[in-house]
Amino acid sequence: MPSAKASRPWPDPAVLASEPPPPPLVCTIQTVESRWSGQPIPGIRQLEQQQFQIDRVGKPSIDPVTVIESRLTPLVEQFSSSGVEQIERSGMTYHWSYEAPLGPLQFSNGGRATSPARESRVAVSGDLIIDVPNGFKLSQQSRLTQSGGTQTLSSLLETAHGSCREQR
């Protein structure tokens, strides 16, 4: 009597159907537009040429989770994200938000302090839309407030575009 192994067609369709896992995507920010409302904060971050990586094996993930690295990254508190969501065949979306304490800040107007230094926080939220063959669009808003206050002292809206390539 032939074995079950001998009765299977060769090559095994299950082996042929399994494709290698997709390689990670490395995405690079190429163009950035920044708009301030209120007093700009010099040197808050530099976006051009920053990279993030998307691991597409299993449940897709992004590294770094904040997408953009900056002086705020080590201070992140109350981080939340939607996780990477697959849309259509080659598209993905990702939403994130967090807060970070900045310590005491004092604002000045024409060289004169406008108020005493008070603890300040920044709230950041961002959206990322990735269309693998065509690149990505990133939008991030940062709002600076003094702790305990609801008034926005300064805000920054950044939009960026870039490209993604498979890491081999």
Side-chain angles (χ1 to χ4, degrees), residues 76-110:
V76 168
E77 296 177 347
Q78 302 174 14
F79 178 83
S80 70
S81 84
S82 63
V84 178
E85 297 174 347
Q86 190 80 33
I87 54 170
E88 300 176 4
R89 184 170 167 82
S90 63
M92 292 172 262
T93 63
Y94 181 71
H95 174 79
W96 68 97
S97 64
Y98 63 88
E99 290 188 11
L102 298 181
L105 290 181
Q106 184 173 34
F107 287 89
S108 61
N109 188 1

Side-chain angles (χ1 to χ4, degrees), residues 129 135-136:
I129 301 170
F136 67 88

Side-chain angles (χ1 to χ4, degrees), residues 5 12 22 33 42 50 63 66 75 103 120 123 126 129 142 156 159 165:
K5 207 177 207 180
D12 186 339
E33 181 182 321
Q50 278 207 37
D63 183 43
T66 56
L75 305 173
S120 300
I129 301 170
S142 304
L156 170 61
T159 49
R165 63 174 172 73

Side-chain angles (χ1 to χ4, degrees), residues 4 15 18 51 57 69 78 84 96 98 100-101 114 119 124 129 140 156 165:
V15 172
S18 67
Q51 294 183 328
V57 176
E69 290 282 347
Q78 302 174 14
V84 178
W96 68 97
Y98 63 88
T114 57
E119 291 294 319
V124 178
I129 301 170
Q140 178 171 273
L156 170 61
R165 63 174 172 73

